[in-house]
Amino acid sequence: MGMILTSAFAMMGVFFMVGMYVAGAIGLLSLLLMYFFSDAPLWNILGNKAWETSNNFILIAVPLFILMGEIMLRSGIGDRMYNAIARWMNRLPGGLLHTNIASCSIFAACAGSSAATAATISRVALPTFQKKNYDERMVLGSLAAGGTLGILIPPSIGIILWGVLMEESIGRLYLAGFIPGFMLAFLMMLMIAGLALAFPSIAPKEAVSSWKDRFVGLLALIPIFAIIFMVLGTIYMGIATPTEAAAFGVTGALVLALISNSGPPIMFWFLEKANRNGGLPFLPQRTRARMLELGERYPAIAGQLRESMSYNMEMIKAATLAAARTSGMIFLIVISAFVMSFAFVRLGISQNLSAIVISWDMTTVQLVITLVVFYLLLGTFMEPTAMLLCTVPILGPILHAADIDLVWFGIISIIISEAAIISPPEGINLYILHGVRQDVNAETAMAEGVEAPKSTILDVWIGVLPFMAVMVLMIGLLIVFPEIATWLPDTVMGKRG
């Protein structure tokens, strides 16, 4: 058994160091271990595991949530949401830095994707910050860290994958993510306020918006909350499963995107045509007269309908292709992870690792802290989804043997994955922010007829460090007070026996 363990970890280390794709690395590792150390029918097992994984009803929610996030990314809804929230946050110490965190928290609750959240909010926010005297590193740090909330605040793709691999209730995990997710956002905002009071130069004072502007701006949040209700409301009301709720969310996001991208003239044109053709007889005469008046006041410009339809089709095509690429990558890793899990169980690797860890005679807290440190180190050079999927087959039996609450530790592992997303040097959100900043700088320089300023990713690395410290604090609070994650699911769904 010692030879099998040594071979497994040696091969895994070599595969990752040479830069092999994650799915290929863990898939090849599983095949080699089974070929040399087992007499099981290898190809039959591989086919069966691929079919069982692809046929999992809950996993269908993953591409649907990714598609919903891609549609939201391209719909323009994020722009209006950001401006509406800014009117409420600009009076706080730190000004628009709070808007970054709040916007990411709300957008994450309907997009479910860290990459989509970071890309959308940063694209809206960075041009605004360039016109003001904010500390650029804090701006980049708040955007990168805020985007990570997309994998903790439900709906979350990471939570779905954890639930499927650990065979835990997705609804219970969603409920467990609410309080830690919004608590983490609050701690980030508290840290921003403290730094702004201690070092006023990082965030200039903003002009306070009037109450009228604030309440009018709330109208822009209606589409966001409508999608949140379609997804989370239908799950907790017992109307839909997570997969069905994801389908509701995609439909709602698509309808809102089409309305958002068409503009009032197109809407009124459709209403006016339907009204003239007697298509809306159920409406009161006064309402139909008003619609006719609006149709005449906002006539559709020649060719505008064709242009709008063409734009929307391109948006749908781009969102679908992006979702297909991301989903294909995730599912290939998931299939490989299930194959590796089977190989480890078949060869007794999981059982032996569990026995070794139990022989260390650590307390639950000591074991969890050890795993947290392990995850944080692993996250510095590994993508978070891959990190979860690679380690769960190994750590799952250990967690079961140590009788650790998988819902509680699942939330801790998701927060660690968040930290991995912004952990230098390989955090994916860091590269998204750096790429968006370069694009915005180039666009601004072109508009002004000057050369774009040189920038390095080092600014993003430095900017995220205070937010990573907040994440470590949140993990510490969860270890000391597990009820932060377990109280809500136990209250709503009842305690487990």
Side-chain angles (χ1 to χ4, degrees), residues 46-64:
L46 185 62
N48 288 337
K49 283 298 171 185
W51 170 252
E52 289 173 8
T53 305
S54 304
N55 202 35
N56 190 313
F57 180 70
I58 295 178
L59 281 178
I60 299 173
V62 172
L64 290 174

Side-chain angles (χ1 to χ4, degrees), residues 6 39 43 63 69 79 93 103 111 136 141 151 164 173 198 222 275 305 318 327 366 370 448-449 453 456 470 477-478:
T6 303
D39 57 356
W43 300 113
D79 302 38
S103 298
E136 187 178 27
I151 63 172
V164 170
L173 284 164
I222 293 177
N275 193 19
L305 178 59
S327 301
Q366 289 173 332
T370 302
E448 297 176 354
T456 69
V470 172
L477 290 174
L478 279 168

Side-chain angles (χ1 to χ4, degrees), residues 361-379:
D361 197 26
M362 291 190 293
T363 65
T364 300
V365 172
Q366 289 173 332
L367 177 58
V368 169
I369 291 174
T370 302
L371 295 177
V372 166
V373 173
F374 166 72
Y375 266 129
L376 287 175
L377 292 174
L378 192 62

Side-chain angles (χ1 to χ4, degrees), residues 43 73 105 159 165 171 173 176 237 260 284 311 326 340-341 373 422 466:
W43 300 113
L73 172 63
S105 301
I159 285 179
L165 289 169
L173 284 164
M237 292 172 64
S260 173
Y311 177 84
T326 305
M340 184 173 72
S341 179
V373 173
I422 61 171

Side-chain angles (χ1 to χ4, degrees), residues 91 137 209 266 275 285 294 311-312 317 324 335 341 351 427 468 471 494:
R91 65 186 301 161
R137 289 175 173 176
S209 302
I266 299 297
N275 193 19
Q285 179 63 34
L294 291 172
Y311 177 84
N312 284 322
K317 178 182 176 181
I335 291 172
S341 179
Q351 297 90 323
M468 286 196 68
M471 289 182 174

Side-chain angles (χ1 to χ4, degrees), residues 9 16 39 84 115 118 170 187 235 241 243 282 316 343 390 403 425 428 496:
F9 287 105
F16 284 132
D39 57 356
I170 305 297
L187 289 174
I235 292 175
T241 64
T243 301
F282 54 87
I316 294 171
C390 286
D403 198 26
I428 187 172
R496 291 170 295 176

Side-chain angles (χ1 to χ4, degrees), residues 187-259:
L187 289 174
M188 287 181 180
M189 294 175 69
L190 192 63
M191 182 267 292
I192 290 172
L195 289 177
L197 291 173
F199 308 100
S201 60
I202 69 172
K205 289 187 177 180
E206 296 279 345
V208 178
S209 302
S210 67
W211 285 104
K212 178 182 177 181
D213 287 342
R214 292 179 195 172
F215 283 108
V216 170
L218 291 178
L219 295 174
L221 300 181
I222 293 177
I224 296 288
F225 288 116
I227 293 179
I228 293 173
F229 175 77
M230 285 182 187
V231 176
L232 300 180
T234 53
I235 292 175
Y236 296 125
M237 292 172 64
I239 298 174
T241 64
T243 301
E244 293 164 343
F248 288 150
V250 171
T251 304
L254 182 58
V255 170
L256 290 172
L258 294 177
I259 293 174

Side-chain angles (χ1 to χ4, degrees), residues 24-38:
I26 60 179
L28 182 59
L29 168 67
S30 307
L31 294 178
L32 290 174
L33 288 174
M34 293 289 287
Y35 181 81
F36 287 108
F37 299 107
S38 173

